Protein backbone atom coordinates (compact mmCIF):
# COMPACT_ATOMS: atom_id res chain seq x y z
CA UNK A 1 0.00 0.00 0.00
CA UNK A 2 1.16 3.51 -0.75
CA UNK A 3 0.59 6.26 1.77
CA UNK A 4 0.89 10.04 1.73
CA UNK A 5 1.14 10.85 5.44
CA UNK A 6 2.58 9.32 8.58
CA UNK A 7 -0.95 9.09 10.00
CA UNK A 8 -2.29 7.30 6.94
CA UNK A 9 0.54 4.75 7.15
CA UNK A 10 0.01 4.25 10.86
CA UNK A 11 -3.71 3.63 10.44
CA UNK A 12 -2.83 0.96 7.87
CA UNK A 13 -0.49 -0.74 10.35
CA UNK A 14 2.69 0.40 8.59
CA UNK A 15 5.80 1.40 10.55
CA UNK A 16 7.53 3.99 8.38
CA UNK A 17 11.27 4.69 8.38
CA UNK A 18 10.51 7.94 10.24
CA UNK A 19 8.64 6.00 12.94
CA UNK A 20 11.53 3.55 13.22
CA UNK A 21 13.98 6.41 13.72
CA UNK A 22 11.83 8.21 16.29
CA UNK A 23 11.13 5.01 18.22
CA UNK A 24 14.82 4.19 18.44
CA UNK A 25 15.66 7.75 19.52
CA UNK A 26 12.95 7.74 22.19
CA UNK A 27 13.60 4.19 23.41
CA UNK A 28 10.11 2.83 22.73
CA UNK A 29 8.76 0.06 20.53
CA UNK A 30 7.96 1.13 16.94
CA UNK A 31 4.52 -0.49 17.17
CA UNK A 32 3.61 1.61 20.21
CA UNK A 33 4.68 4.76 18.41
CA UNK A 34 2.78 3.73 15.28
CA UNK A 35 -0.42 3.31 17.30
CA UNK A 36 0.00 6.77 18.85
CA UNK A 37 0.54 8.33 15.43
CA UNK A 38 -2.61 6.57 14.19
CA UNK A 39 -4.56 7.94 17.15
CA UNK A 40 -3.18 11.45 16.64
CA UNK A 41 -1.61 11.67 20.10
CA UNK A 42 1.85 11.80 18.46
CA UNK A 43 2.79 13.78 15.35
CA UNK A 44 5.92 13.24 13.27
CA UNK A 45 6.15 16.37 11.08
CA UNK A 46 8.05 15.15 8.02
CA UNK A 47 7.38 16.78 4.64
CA UNK A 48 8.29 14.51 1.71
CA UNK A 49 10.37 17.37 0.27
CA UNK A 50 12.53 17.97 3.36
CA UNK A 51 15.35 15.59 2.48
CA UNK A 52 17.76 16.88 5.17
CA UNK A 53 15.28 16.14 7.96
CA UNK A 54 16.14 14.02 10.98
CA UNK A 55 12.60 13.18 12.14
CA UNK A 56 11.31 13.80 15.65
CA UNK A 57 8.06 12.87 17.33
CA UNK A 58 5.95 15.29 19.34
CA UNK A 59 3.38 14.03 21.79
CA UNK A 60 2.32 11.28 24.17
CA UNK A 61 5.10 9.61 26.13
CA UNK A 62 7.92 11.33 24.22
CA UNK A 63 10.55 13.82 25.33
CA UNK A 64 9.44 17.44 25.32
CA UNK A 65 10.67 19.14 22.15
CA UNK A 66 11.93 22.71 21.59
CA UNK A 67 11.17 25.13 18.76
CA UNK A 68 13.21 28.21 17.82
CA UNK A 69 11.65 31.20 16.07
CA UNK A 70 13.76 33.30 13.72
CA UNK A 71 13.51 35.05 10.36
CA UNK A 72 13.80 38.29 8.43
CA UNK A 73 11.84 41.40 9.40
CA UNK A 74 11.38 44.67 7.58
CA UNK A 75 13.73 46.47 9.96
CA UNK A 76 16.35 43.68 10.24
CA UNK A 77 17.22 42.05 6.92
CA UNK A 78 20.52 40.31 7.61
CA UNK A 79 20.21 36.86 6.04
CA UNK A 80 23.69 35.80 7.16
CA UNK A 81 22.81 36.64 10.75
CA UNK A 82 19.63 34.57 10.56
CA UNK A 83 21.63 31.60 9.31
CA UNK A 84 24.01 32.04 12.26
CA UNK A 85 20.95 31.80 14.49
CA UNK A 86 20.03 28.56 12.73
CA UNK A 87 23.51 27.22 13.48
CA UNK A 88 23.18 28.25 17.13
CA UNK A 89 19.76 26.60 17.44
CA UNK A 90 21.06 23.35 15.98
CA UNK A 91 24.21 23.43 18.12
CA UNK A 92 22.19 23.54 21.33
CA UNK A 93 19.71 20.87 20.33
CA UNK A 94 16.53 22.53 19.08
CA UNK A 95 14.34 19.97 17.30
CA UNK A 96 12.40 22.56 15.30
CA UNK A 97 12.94 25.94 13.67
CA UNK A 98 10.12 28.25 12.63
CA UNK A 99 10.89 30.69 9.85
CA UNK A 100 8.76 33.71 10.71
CA UNK A 101 10.17 35.91 7.94
CA UNK A 102 7.69 38.62 7.05
CA UNK A 103 9.50 40.91 4.63
CA UNK A 104 9.76 40.73 0.85
CA UNK A 105 10.38 37.52 -1.07
CA UNK A 106 11.17 35.05 1.68
CA UNK A 107 11.28 31.87 -0.37
CA UNK A 108 15.05 31.99 -1.02
CA UNK A 109 15.80 32.00 2.72
CA UNK A 110 13.19 29.32 3.37
CA UNK A 111 14.54 27.03 0.65
CA UNK A 112 18.07 27.43 1.99
CA UNK A 113 16.81 26.68 5.50
CA UNK A 114 14.99 23.51 4.41
CA UNK A 115 18.05 22.36 2.47
CA UNK A 116 20.35 22.95 5.46
CA UNK A 117 18.37 21.99 8.51
CA UNK A 118 18.01 18.51 10.03
CA UNK A 119 15.50 20.08 12.43
CA UNK A 120 11.87 20.17 11.37
CA UNK A 121 10.84 23.46 9.78
CA UNK A 122 7.67 25.38 10.50
CA UNK A 123 6.19 28.56 9.03
CA UNK A 124 3.18 30.83 9.36
CA UNK A 125 2.09 31.29 5.72
CA UNK A 126 -0.08 34.24 6.72
CA UNK A 127 3.08 36.27 7.49
CA UNK A 128 4.34 35.68 3.98
CA UNK A 129 1.14 36.47 2.11
CA UNK A 130 1.60 40.19 1.48
CA UNK A 131 5.19 39.92 0.27
CA UNK A 132 4.69 36.69 -1.67
CA UNK A 133 1.58 37.89 -3.48
CA UNK A 134 2.61 41.56 -3.73
CA UNK A 135 -0.91 42.57 -2.70
CA UNK A 136 -2.10 44.65 0.20
CA UNK A 137 -3.98 42.70 2.86
CA UNK A 138 -7.48 43.83 1.89
CA UNK A 139 -6.96 42.74 -1.73
CA UNK A 140 -5.88 39.18 -0.97
CA UNK A 141 -8.47 36.51 -1.76
CA UNK A 142 -9.18 33.26 0.04
CA UNK A 143 -7.60 31.34 -2.84
CA UNK A 144 -4.54 33.58 -2.62
CA UNK A 145 -4.00 32.52 0.98
CA UNK A 146 -4.24 28.86 -0.01
CA UNK A 147 -1.72 29.47 -2.80
CA UNK A 148 0.83 30.64 -0.23
CA UNK A 149 0.24 27.54 1.90
CA UNK A 150 0.78 25.37 -1.18
CA UNK A 151 4.05 27.15 -1.96
CA UNK A 152 5.36 26.54 1.56
CA UNK A 153 4.32 22.88 1.40
CA UNK A 154 6.07 22.39 -1.95
CA UNK A 155 9.26 23.98 -0.57
CA UNK A 156 9.48 21.33 2.16
CA UNK A 157 8.04 22.92 5.29
CA UNK A 158 7.14 20.23 7.86
CA UNK A 159 4.43 22.09 9.78
CA UNK A 160 2.45 25.28 9.29
CA UNK A 161 0.68 27.43 11.83
CA UNK A 162 -2.83 28.12 10.58
CA UNK A 163 -5.23 30.30 12.58
CA UNK A 164 -8.34 28.46 11.39
CA UNK A 165 -10.23 28.68 14.67
CA UNK A 166 -10.71 32.46 14.57
CA UNK A 167 -14.12 32.29 12.92
CA UNK A 168 -17.08 34.63 13.26
CA UNK A 169 -18.29 32.88 16.40
CA UNK A 170 -14.89 33.18 18.08
CA UNK A 171 -14.64 36.85 17.13
CA UNK A 172 -18.05 37.54 18.67
CA UNK A 173 -16.84 36.00 21.94
CA UNK A 174 -13.62 38.02 21.75
CA UNK A 175 -15.42 41.32 21.18
CA UNK A 176 -17.65 40.78 24.21
CA UNK A 177 -14.81 39.78 26.52
CA UNK A 178 -13.23 43.25 26.86
CA UNK A 179 -9.58 42.22 26.72
CA UNK A 180 -6.70 44.38 27.86
CA UNK A 181 -4.37 43.29 25.04
CA UNK A 182 -6.91 42.37 22.34
CA UNK A 183 -5.22 39.98 19.85
CA UNK A 184 -1.43 39.65 20.25
CA UNK A 185 -0.98 36.84 17.74
CA UNK A 186 0.57 38.40 14.63
CA UNK A 187 -1.18 35.97 12.31
CA UNK A 188 -4.40 36.23 14.28
CA UNK A 189 -4.40 40.02 14.10
CA UNK A 190 -3.91 39.91 10.32
CA UNK A 191 -6.75 37.41 9.87
CA UNK A 192 -8.99 39.52 12.10
CA UNK A 193 -8.15 42.69 10.15
CA UNK A 194 -8.80 40.91 6.84
CA UNK A 195 -12.17 39.63 8.05
CA UNK A 196 -13.18 43.06 9.30
CA UNK A 197 -12.11 44.81 6.09
CA UNK A 198 -13.69 42.31 3.70
CA UNK A 199 -16.68 41.16 5.72
CA UNK A 200 -15.77 37.55 4.90
CA UNK A 201 -15.35 34.47 7.05
CA UNK A 202 -11.83 33.33 7.95
CA UNK A 203 -10.59 31.79 4.66
CA UNK A 204 -8.76 28.99 6.47
CA UNK A 205 -11.96 28.06 8.33
CA UNK A 206 -14.26 28.45 5.32
CA UNK A 207 -11.96 26.49 2.99
CA UNK A 208 -10.59 24.10 5.58
CA UNK A 209 -11.11 20.96 3.51
CA UNK A 210 -9.20 22.44 0.57
CA UNK A 211 -6.43 23.44 2.97
CA UNK A 212 -6.26 19.87 4.27
CA UNK A 213 -5.95 18.54 0.73
CA UNK A 214 -2.78 20.62 0.26
CA UNK A 215 -1.30 19.49 3.56
CA UNK A 216 -2.16 15.82 2.93
CA UNK A 217 -0.38 15.82 -0.41
CA UNK A 218 2.99 16.70 1.14
CA UNK A 219 2.43 15.38 4.69
CA UNK A 220 2.58 18.83 6.27
CA UNK A 221 1.39 18.83 9.88
CA UNK A 222 -1.16 21.51 10.69
CA UNK A 223 -0.33 23.42 13.85
CA UNK A 224 -3.67 24.95 14.75
CA UNK A 225 -2.77 28.43 15.92
CA UNK A 226 -4.32 30.13 18.92
CA UNK A 227 -5.12 33.55 17.50
CA UNK A 228 -6.79 34.45 20.81
CA UNK A 229 -3.94 33.38 23.06
CA UNK A 230 -3.58 35.71 26.06
CA UNK A 231 -0.96 38.43 25.68
CA UNK A 232 -1.05 39.37 29.37
CA UNK A 233 -2.04 37.70 32.62
CA UNK A 234 -5.34 39.57 32.72
CA UNK A 235 -6.53 37.93 29.48
CA UNK A 236 -5.62 34.34 30.36
CA UNK A 237 -8.34 31.65 30.38
CA UNK A 238 -11.01 34.06 29.15
CA UNK A 239 -14.01 33.21 26.98
CA UNK A 240 -12.21 34.10 23.75
CA UNK A 241 -9.27 31.77 24.44
CA UNK A 242 -11.46 28.86 25.54
CA UNK A 243 -14.03 29.38 22.79
CA UNK A 244 -11.32 29.20 20.15
CA UNK A 245 -9.86 26.09 21.80
CA UNK A 246 -13.23 24.37 21.42
CA UNK A 247 -13.18 25.20 17.70
CA UNK A 248 -9.64 23.83 17.42
CA UNK A 249 -10.83 20.54 18.89
CA UNK A 250 -13.48 20.25 16.18
CA UNK A 251 -10.95 21.13 13.48
CA UNK A 252 -8.59 18.48 14.88
CA UNK A 253 -11.02 15.62 14.24
CA UNK A 254 -11.71 16.91 10.73
CA UNK A 255 -7.99 16.89 9.97
CA UNK A 256 -7.52 13.39 11.38
CA UNK A 257 -10.38 12.13 9.23
CA UNK A 258 -8.32 13.32 6.23
CA UNK A 259 -5.12 11.72 7.62
CA UNK A 260 -3.47 15.09 8.30
CA UNK A 261 -1.38 15.26 11.48
CA UNK A 262 -2.27 17.95 14.03
CA UNK A 263 -0.64 19.95 16.78
CA UNK A 264 -2.52 22.49 18.92
CA UNK A 265 -0.95 25.82 19.90
CA UNK A 266 -1.50 27.34 23.31
CA UNK A 267 -0.78 30.32 25.58
CA UNK A 268 0.78 32.80 25.89
CA UNK A 269 0.87 34.76 29.14
CA UNK A 270 -0.66 32.97 32.12
CA UNK A 271 -0.33 32.96 35.92
CA UNK A 272 1.34 29.86 37.33
CA UNK A 273 -1.79 28.64 39.10
CA UNK A 274 -3.75 28.47 35.81
CA UNK A 275 -1.25 26.51 33.73
CA UNK A 276 -1.96 22.94 34.84
CA UNK A 277 -5.72 23.33 34.34
CA UNK A 278 -5.17 24.74 30.85
CA UNK A 279 -3.03 21.74 29.88
CA UNK A 280 -5.73 19.31 31.04
CA UNK A 281 -8.41 21.32 29.25
CA UNK A 282 -6.51 21.30 25.95
CA UNK A 283 -6.00 17.55 26.09
CA UNK A 284 -9.70 17.06 26.85
CA UNK A 285 -11.11 19.43 24.24
CA UNK A 286 -8.58 18.53 21.53
CA UNK A 287 -8.63 14.75 21.98
CA UNK A 288 -5.07 14.45 23.35
CA UNK A 289 -3.51 16.05 20.27
CA UNK A 290 0.09 17.22 20.87
CA UNK A 291 0.14 20.59 22.62
CA UNK A 292 2.61 23.30 21.54
CA UNK A 293 2.93 26.26 23.92
CA UNK A 294 4.64 29.65 23.76
CA UNK A 295 5.94 29.96 27.29
CA UNK A 296 3.62 30.44 29.05
CA UNK A 297 5.12 33.63 30.48
CA UNK A 298 4.18 33.70 34.14
CA UNK A 299 4.52 37.45 34.67
CA UNK A 300 4.32 40.52 32.45
CA UNK A 301 6.97 42.67 34.15
CA UNK A 302 10.31 41.16 33.07
CA UNK A 303 11.35 42.55 29.68
CA UNK A 304 14.94 41.49 29.10
CA UNK A 305 14.39 38.36 31.21
CA UNK A 306 11.42 36.75 29.50
CA UNK A 307 13.47 33.64 28.70
CA UNK A 308 13.27 33.06 32.46
CA UNK A 309 9.55 33.83 32.85
CA UNK A 310 8.95 31.52 29.89
CA UNK A 311 11.12 28.71 31.25
CA UNK A 312 9.21 28.78 34.54
CA UNK A 313 5.89 28.51 32.73
CA UNK A 314 7.21 26.03 30.20
CA UNK A 315 8.42 23.65 32.90
CA UNK A 316 5.02 23.73 34.61
CA UNK A 317 3.19 23.33 31.29
CA UNK A 318 5.29 20.41 30.09
CA UNK A 319 5.16 18.67 33.46
CA UNK A 320 1.36 18.82 33.15
CA UNK A 321 1.06 17.58 29.58
CA UNK A 322 2.46 20.09 27.07
CA UNK A 323 4.58 18.32 24.44
CA UNK A 324 6.38 21.09 22.57
CA UNK A 325 7.84 24.36 23.91
CA UNK A 326 8.40 27.40 21.73
CA UNK A 327 11.44 29.15 23.12
CA UNK A 328 11.37 32.75 24.27
CA UNK A 329 14.53 34.87 24.25
CA UNK A 330 15.66 37.78 26.45
CA UNK A 331 14.72 40.04 23.52
CA UNK A 332 11.01 39.13 23.64
CA UNK A 333 8.80 42.25 23.49
CA UNK A 334 11.89 44.39 22.78
CA UNK A 335 13.59 43.60 19.45
CA UNK A 336 14.50 40.89 16.97
CA UNK A 337 16.76 38.50 18.91
CA UNK A 338 20.50 38.37 18.35
CA UNK A 339 22.51 35.18 17.92
CA UNK A 340 23.39 35.25 21.63
CA UNK A 341 19.72 35.81 22.51
CA UNK A 342 18.88 32.67 20.54
CA UNK A 343 21.40 30.69 22.57
CA UNK A 344 19.98 31.96 25.87
CA UNK A 345 16.43 31.18 24.76
CA UNK A 346 17.21 27.66 23.57
CA UNK A 347 19.09 26.74 26.74
CA UNK A 348 16.38 28.14 29.02
CA UNK A 349 13.73 26.16 27.15
CA UNK A 350 15.81 22.98 27.12
CA UNK A 351 16.24 23.23 30.88
CA UNK A 352 12.47 23.61 31.26
CA UNK A 353 11.78 20.70 28.92
CA UNK A 354 14.28 18.41 30.63
CA UNK A 355 13.00 19.26 34.10
CA UNK A 356 9.47 18.46 32.94
CA UNK A 357 10.54 15.17 31.36
CA UNK A 358 11.97 14.10 34.72
CA UNK A 359 8.70 15.02 36.44
CA UNK A 360 6.68 13.14 33.79
CA UNK A 361 8.83 10.05 34.21
CA UNK A 362 9.98 9.95 30.60
CA UNK A 363 12.20 6.84 30.36
CA UNK A 364 15.88 7.72 30.55
CA UNK A 365 15.32 11.42 31.28
CA UNK A 366 17.02 11.35 34.67
CA UNK A 367 19.98 9.30 33.43
CA UNK A 368 21.66 12.54 32.34
CA UNK A 369 21.33 14.02 35.83
CA UNK A 370 22.62 10.83 37.40
CA UNK A 371 25.74 10.98 35.22
CA UNK A 372 26.33 14.57 36.31
CA UNK A 373 25.86 13.62 39.97
CA UNK A 374 28.39 10.80 39.63
CA UNK A 375 30.92 13.16 38.03
CA UNK A 376 30.44 15.71 40.81
CA UNK A 377 30.85 13.07 43.49
CA UNK A 378 34.20 12.15 41.95
CA UNK A 379 35.16 15.85 41.54
CA UNK A 380 35.77 14.92 37.91
CA UNK A 381 35.71 18.26 36.11
CA UNK A 382 36.15 16.94 32.53
CA UNK A 383 33.22 14.57 33.06
CA UNK A 384 31.12 17.42 34.49
CA UNK A 385 31.85 19.50 31.40
CA UNK A 386 30.84 16.56 29.21
CA UNK A 387 27.40 16.48 30.85
CA UNK A 388 26.85 20.26 31.02
CA UNK A 389 24.02 21.57 28.83
CA UNK A 390 26.38 24.46 27.91
CA UNK A 391 29.91 23.07 28.14
CA UNK A 392 31.55 26.28 26.93
CA UNK A 393 30.01 28.43 29.65
CA UNK A 394 30.80 25.93 32.40
CA UNK A 395 34.43 25.65 31.33
CA UNK A 396 34.76 29.44 31.03
CA UNK A 397 33.46 29.97 34.58
CA UNK A 398 35.93 27.48 36.05
CA UNK A 399 38.79 28.96 34.06
CA UNK A 400 38.26 32.48 35.44
CA UNK A 401 39.50 31.55 38.95
CA UNK A 402 42.30 29.40 40.33
CA UNK A 403 41.45 27.49 43.53
CA UNK A 404 44.30 26.31 45.74
CA UNK A 405 43.07 22.73 45.30
CA UNK A 406 42.30 22.29 41.59
CA UNK A 407 39.81 19.51 42.36
CA UNK A 408 37.53 22.06 44.09
CA UNK A 409 36.12 25.42 43.06
CA UNK A 410 36.59 28.84 44.69
CA UNK A 411 33.15 28.74 46.33
CA UNK A 412 34.21 26.33 49.12
CA UNK A 413 37.86 25.50 48.49
CA UNK A 414 39.19 23.28 51.27
CA UNK A 415 35.73 23.23 52.86
CA UNK A 416 34.21 21.54 49.81
CA UNK A 417 31.64 19.09 51.20
CA UNK A 418 32.28 16.59 48.42
CA UNK A 419 36.04 16.64 49.11
CA UNK A 420 35.43 16.36 52.86
CA UNK A 421 33.09 13.37 52.51
CA UNK A 422 35.28 11.58 50.00
CA UNK A 423 38.23 11.82 52.39
CA UNK A 424 36.24 11.00 55.53
CA UNK A 425 34.50 8.00 54.01
CA UNK A 426 37.84 6.68 52.79
CA UNK A 427 39.32 6.86 56.28
CA UNK A 428 41.55 9.84 55.53
CA UNK A 429 42.20 12.87 57.71
CA UNK A 430 40.32 16.05 56.81
CA UNK A 431 42.60 19.04 57.21
CA UNK A 432 41.44 22.56 56.49
CA UNK A 433 44.81 24.25 57.08
Amino acid sequence: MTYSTQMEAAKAGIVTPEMEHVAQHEGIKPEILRDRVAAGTVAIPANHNHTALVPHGVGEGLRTKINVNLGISGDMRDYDCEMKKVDMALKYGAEAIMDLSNYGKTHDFRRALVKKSPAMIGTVPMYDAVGYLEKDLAHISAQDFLEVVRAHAEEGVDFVTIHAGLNRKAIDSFKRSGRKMNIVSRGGSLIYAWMEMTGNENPFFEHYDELLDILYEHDVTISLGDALRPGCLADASDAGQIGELIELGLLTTRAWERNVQVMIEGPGHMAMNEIAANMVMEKRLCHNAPFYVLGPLVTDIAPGYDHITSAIGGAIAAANGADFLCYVTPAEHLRLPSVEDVKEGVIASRIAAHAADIAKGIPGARDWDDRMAAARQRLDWPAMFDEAIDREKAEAYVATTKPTDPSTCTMCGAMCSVRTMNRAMNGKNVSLL
Side-chain angles (χ1 to χ4, degrees):
M1 172 187 172
T2 60
Y3 58 88
S4 185
T5 71
Q6 296 292 321
M7 174 170 270
E8 186 175 38
K11 288 179 180 178
I14 297 170
V15 174
T16 66
E18 291 81 8
M19 293 179 206
E20 287 275 11
H21 179 89
V22 171
Q24 182 177 10
H25 185 64
E26 298 282 349
I28 65 173
K29 293 180 179 179
E31 294 75 19
I32 293 175
L33 180 67
R34 176 201 61 201
D35 292 346
R36 292 174 184 173
V37 173
T41 60
V42 167
I44 303 177
N47 188 317
H48 306 316
N49 301 319
H50 188 180
T51 57
L53 177 69
V54 175
H56 286 283
V58 180
E60 180 187 357
L62 307 183
R63 291 182 301 103
T64 306
K65 305 304 187 297
I66 301 298
N67 173 71
V68 165
N69 289 342
L70 46 80
I72 308 302
S73 75
D75 291 323
M76 299 287 287
R77 288 170 264 167
D78 188 337
Y79 290 86
D80 290 339
C81 181
E82 294 309 303
M83 277 302 177
K84 289 177 182 176
K85 295 178 190 178
V86 172
D87 292 336
M88 185 66 77
L90 296 175
K91 177 179 179 180
Y92 286 98
E95 291 89 2
I97 295 172
M98 288 200 80
D99 173 19
L100 304 188
S101 296
N102 59 74
Y103 176 83
K105 297 293 186 182
T106 62
H107 53 80
D108 288 342
F109 177 73
R110 188 162 51 253
R111 288 170 182 163
L113 179 59
V114 170
K115 183 178 180 180
K116 172 190 181 74
S117 175
M120 49 189 164
I121 302 300
T123 60
V124 187
M126 187 69 197
Y127 294 178
D128 196 29
V130 173
Y132 181 88
L133 298 165
E134 295 184 335
K135 294 181 180 180
D136 204 2
L137 186 62
H139 300 128
I140 298 175
S141 69
Q143 288 303 313
D144 286 335
F145 285 125
L146 293 176
E147 179 186 336
V148 178
V149 175
R150 183 181 297 280
H152 284 220
E154 290 175 348
E155 289 169 357
V157 167
D158 302 296
F159 63 99
V160 288
T161 293
I162 302 290
H163 298 93
L166 187 66
N167 56 19
R168 286 288 172 193
K169 183 168 69 173
I171 283 179
D172 180 63
S173 179
F174 154 71
K175 286 182 174 179
R176 287 186 286 134
S177 66
R179 280 187 157 194
K180 284 186 179 294
M181 287 291 295
N182 295 317
I183 295 176
V184 299
S185 159
R186 190 192 310 172
S189 67
L190 293 172
I191 286 286
Y192 176 84
W194 184 88
M195 292 169 69
E196 292 292 287
M197 288 188 292
T198 64
N200 295 329
E201 179 57 280
N202 181 338
F204 297 118
F205 178 80
E206 186 175 11
H207 300 278
Y208 191 61
D209 288 339
E210 190 174 347
L211 169 69
L212 293 177
D213 288 341
I214 296 169
L215 304 183
Y216 169 82
E217 182 180 354
H218 302 282
D219 197 4
V220 177
T221 298
I222 186 169
S223 191
L224 287 167
D226 53 336
L228 294 176
R229 71 172 182 263
C232 62
L233 300 190
D235 293 341
S237 306
D238 69 355
Q241 178 199 332
I242 306 308
E244 184 184 29
L245 187 63
I246 293 169
E247 291 291 341
L248 298 187
L250 299 173
L251 293 171
T252 295
T253 56
R254 287 176 61 185
W256 286 346
E257 288 167 1
R258 306 287 285 273
N259 290 319
V260 173
Q261 300 184 100
V262 177
M263 298 187 292
I264 305 295
E265 297 188 12
H269 293 235
M270 182 167 286
M272 290 169 61
N273 60 302
E274 297 180 53
I275 295 173
N278 269 262
M279 301 305 107
V280 173
M281 184 162 43
E282 181 276 342
K283 293 292 183 176
R284 179 77 173 100
L285 294 175
C286 297
H287 322 291
N288 292 310
F291 200 17
Y292 173 26
V293 297
L294 176 67
L297 280 69
V298 296
T299 180
D300 298 333
I301 54 86
Y305 299 91
D306 277 328
H307 59 311
I308 297 173
T309 65
S310 171
I312 294 168
I316 297 170
N320 286 280
D323 307 288
F324 196 13
L325 302 181
C326 185
Y327 89 151
V328 172
T329 78
E332 186 77 7
H333 303 109
L334 302 172
R335 68 174 191 200
L336 195 71
S338 67
V339 175
E340 187 62 25
D341 292 332
V342 168
K343 175 184 174 180
E344 293 296 317
V346 173
I347 290 175
S349 291
R350 284 200 65 203
I351 293 169
H354 180 67
D357 288 347
I358 295 168
K360 286 190 286 192
I362 297 296
R366 213 190 71 182
D367 292 351
W368 188 1
D369 300 76
D370 290 345
R371 292 194 302 270
M372 177 62 89
R376 284 175 171 159
Q377 189 276 327
R378 299 191 308 268
L379 292 172
D380 185 343
W381 290 99
M384 287 185 240
F385 297 145
D386 286 343
E387 301 302 336
I389 197 169
D390 181 357
R391 181 190 186 106
E392 294 172 3
K393 188 170 187 176
E395 286 184 317
Y397 268 59
V398 170
T400 58
T401 57
K402 301 296 181 183
T404 302
D405 181 346
S407 69
T408 67
C409 76
T410 53
M411 172 69 77
C412 300
M415 291 189 181
C416 171
S417 60
V418 178
R419 175 182 180 274
T420 296
M421 290 305 299
N422 286 349
R423 295 183 68 83
M425 294 186 75
N426 285 319
K428 295 180 180 180
N429 290 333
V430 177
S431 174
L432 303 182
L433 299 176

